[in-house]
Amino acid sequence: MDIAGRNATLNIVMGIATTNLKGIVAALFVTIMFSASSLAQQADSKDEAELLQQLVQSTPEQAVGIDRQLKALWSQSGSASADLLLERGREALDVGDTVTAIEHLTALTDHAPGFAEGWHMRASAFFGMDRFGMAAADLEHALALNPNNYEAIFGLGLIFEIIEQPDKALEAYERALAIHPHHEEVTNAVNRLKPQVEGSAL
């Protein structure tokens, strides 16, 4: 599945350049969704609140490790069967089989509706099929369960940007950046959109 090759385009950075923004943000979104797939064994004994506090106060170098620990923590369902469904969903997404991924991840959300990462990952699959409404709904569900998941917030921002609602996209990006101040992709998105949104408000 060549997400980056899709044809939808948007104007960015105050009209200076036009690029395949959808392809770029889709690639970022999927990369972020997959980035936790190998981290399930790397969470330490620190709780989420402590890690989030450390993240806000960290240097960019320190943030890398804290980000890894948070993603590992969020990937732990506490159920072997739920973990298996999550793994199978991720594997299907890795090979571009979004239909199978949605089947596994829907089984996961049915089996463990309180596991935020299941909804977060299924949003990735819906996103890959251009089903942005369903992706956004799953991200909102994931955030209702885990409001600190800056990757899910970032995902909402990407969707708002693709459907040409830059003000809502910027709001989501700034919300994510408040939790993870050193998130490179979110920082770039804020820097890209802020002049556009502030300029249109004048």
Side-chain angles (χ1 to χ4, degrees), residues 40-59:
Q41 303 303 318
Q42 297 182 30
D44 63 14
S45 61
K46 295 177 181 176
D47 64 23
E48 180 186 28
E50 180 181 352
L51 288 169
L52 288 166
Q53 182 177 7
Q54 290 178 2
L55 185 61
V56 171
Q57 299 171 347
S58 68
T59 65

Side-chain angles (χ1 to χ4, degrees), residues 54-72:
Q54 290 178 2
L55 185 61
V56 171
Q57 299 171 347
S58 68
T59 65
E61 293 75 19
Q62 292 169 336
V64 174
I66 299 168
D67 170 75
R68 185 179 299 115
Q69 292 179 65
L70 280 165
K71 289 177 180 176

Side-chain angles (χ1 to χ4, degrees), residues 13-35:
V13 192
M14 300 177 66
I16 294 174
T18 300
T19 187
N20 190 345
L21 179 60
K22 178 184 173 186
I24 293 171
V25 297
L28 282 172
F29 187 86
V30 172
T31 298
I32 290 165
M33 295 300 102
F34 296 156
S35 64

